Amino acid sequence: MKQLRHSVIRAGLEALYFTGAHHLLRPIFAGIGGIFMLHQVRPGRGGAFQPNRHLEVTPGFLRATLLHLRTQDIDVIPMDEVYRRLVERDFSRRFACFTFDDGYRDNRDFALPVLREFDAPFTVYVTSDFAEGTGRLWWIALEAVIARAHSIEVEIGGAATRFDADTPPAKQAAFDRLHDWLRGLPGEQDLAREIGALCARHGVDQAAICRDLCLSWDELKSLADDPLIAIGAHSITHCNLARQAEPAARHEMVAGRERIEAAMQRPVVHLAYPYGDKGAAGAREFALARTAGYRTAVTTRPGMIFPENANHPTALPRVSLNGNYQDARILPVLTSGAATAMWNGFRRVDAA
Ligand SMILES: [Zn+2]
């Protein structure tokens, strides 16, 4: 199913490109700018089983994106400036803003050098448990489990279920199924228990994954001294906020912010909701982010920024730079707003 979805999305992007429809849609859907969402940035890896590839782009694709923005005469600005332009309704020039979720070390090692070439500012949204080295990047742990397993057994809904994991296609199918199952579990404790059991059974060390991939507090502190970089918050544990009771969701937003501020010795006023889709961030979270004192908060809902978004600064949509579609030809389609419009049902603003 996932492969089919990729094909449909790619076909849609290519159709928009080859028909030139993005030129027609640009005046309607390009808005005043866009906020790009990225996760990891690193050189491409070999290997057929890369189920999290949508969450990483190469330094080369990042450079192609920045070059495209330069030819379009689009300003690359930090989140503080996005907020200022929204509040002051300064829409005279189009903008792009770069944001990186979770706090990966490769943001420093591979993204920063490219962004520096273009003097492009960016925001890194930090999950404080990841910086602490105690967080659970369960989707990467699941990839590690399946990569080394020949078969996997779990109890789903009271029934023992066995997944073949001998070949790359079988591994991908097992990943899709187990990923959906884990994300659908009722509570964070259930997710922690199940992924913990899988890791224990297959010899995967979750804490080591976290320390291996994520910037530590010390590393973040020196990174934050760079004038190009702003540090934002991405909760304490990377939980689905919408599924938490209100006090717990508020705690994730408030205490997560305080932990980063204490470590960085500077204010944190920008938030990214973990997962960030409609099932993880809705009206209650948008209000909580406001009362927690965040100036802006970004979702993973697809969309460009329009003047109307000034009324909803804690419900901002983004444009994903997706590792499965690293083709420079799609960049004009993305900045035209045609792709995000296609994905969000041709709505301009969706902040409810
Ligand atoms: Zn995240």
Side-chain angles (χ1 to χ4, degrees):
M1 262 327 272
K2 289 252 162 84
Q3 291 313 314
L4 176 64
R5 205 167 146 252
H6 291 326
S7 309
V8 169
I9 292 174
R10 179 170 295 112
L13 289 168
E14 288 183 350
L16 288 168
Y17 175 78
F18 285 116
T19 59
H22 61 289
H23 294 301
L24 299 173
L25 294 169
R26 182 180 291 275
I28 312 166
F29 289 109
I32 55 173
I35 302 171
F36 286 115
M37 166 176 68
L38 299 95
H39 291 81
Q40 293 195 258
V41 177
R42 57 182 172 182
R45 296 173 294 157
F49 176 59
Q50 293 190 50
N52 287 304
R53 201 174 71 144
H54 59 293
L55 298 174
E56 64 179 84
V57 300
T58 63
F61 187 63
L62 178 59
R63 183 177 291 107
T65 306
L66 285 150
L67 276 170
H68 168 71
L69 296 171
R70 182 182 275 174
T71 62
Q72 298 289 304
D73 193 29
I74 292 172
D75 296 343
V76 179
I77 62 173
M79 280 309 297
D80 276 342
E81 174 67 5
V82 172
Y83 179 72
R84 186 199 68 76
R85 290 188 186 194
L86 285 173
V87 168
E88 297 180 8
R89 302 194 172 262
D90 172 2
F91 308 137
S92 52
R93 287 183 53 81
R94 298 201 60 225
F95 68 82
C97 176
F98 284 84
T99 63
F100 298 78
D101 289 11
D102 302 339
Y104 295 103
R105 187 172 291 115
D106 59 33
N107 295 174
R108 178 196 67 189
D109 297 342
F110 292 108
L112 174 58
V114 176
L115 288 149
R116 198 187 295 293
E117 279 173 42
F118 292 82
D119 205 23
F122 62 101
T123 300
V124 176
Y125 293 111
V126 171
T127 295
S128 41
D129 277 357
F130 294 176
E132 201 82 35
T134 58
R136 283 190 314 271
L137 292 91
W138 64 267
W139 55 98
I140 296 175
L142 180 63
E143 175 180 346
V145 163
I146 296 174
R148 62 172 59 193
H150 292 289
S151 84
I152 292 165
E153 268 183 48
V154 286
E155 210 177 288
I156 297 182
T161 312
R162 190 185 158 281
F163 294 94
D164 172 32
D166 246 339
T167 63
K171 285 182 191 295
Q172 182 67 49
F175 182 91
D176 292 346
R177 189 64 212 293
L178 289 165
H179 185 276
D180 290 351
W181 167 62
L182 288 166
R183 263 215 74 179
L185 289 172
E188 296 296 321
Q189 334 68 269
D190 304 303
L191 171 58
R193 185 188 63 244
E194 296 295 348
I195 191 71
L198 274 170
C199 286
R201 241 181 349 243
H202 294 274
V204 169
D205 182 347
Q206 285 199 83
I209 290 175
C210 179
R211 288 192 301 268
D212 191 35
L213 292 181
C214 295
L215 291 154
S216 68
W217 287 124
D218 283 345
E219 291 171 317
L220 282 165
K221 196 161 179 357
S222 47
L223 200 61
D225 289 336
D226 193 311
L228 283 182
I229 297 165
I231 304 293
H234 195 44
S235 83
I236 301 172
T237 62
H238 205 281
C239 63
N240 179 329
L241 292 168
R243 287 202 184 160
Q244 310 299 309
E246 189 167 319
R250 184 182 298 114
H251 178 74
E252 287 275 346
M253 290 193 220
V254 173
R257 174 186 183 185
E258 288 167 354
R259 265 169 86 174
I260 302 173
E261 288 182 330
M264 300 291 115
Q265 291 296 304
R266 62 187 78 209
V268 169
V269 293
H270 305 292
L271 171 76
Y273 303 101
Y275 309 110
D277 56 86
K278 283 198 168 185
R284 186 192 73 173
E285 288 66 49
F286 302 155
L288 282 174
R290 258 197 317 276
T291 52
Y294 290 105
R295 282 186 191 154
T296 72
V298 290
T299 67
T300 59
R301 297 184 189 193
M304 307 300 283
I305 304 297
F306 293 90
E308 300 93 298
N309 284 109
N311 303 322
H312 310 281
T314 58
L316 298 175
R318 288 190 285 178
V319 181
S320 170
L321 280 188
N322 184 315
N324 285 319
Y325 317 110
Q326 299 187 65
D327 178 343
R329 292 178 314 178
I330 68 161
L331 291 169
V333 179
L334 288 183
T335 55
S336 74
T340 41
M342 178 176 73
W343 293 325
N344 72 19
F346 293 93
R347 255 181 300 210
R348 276 160 57 108
V349 175
D350 175 20

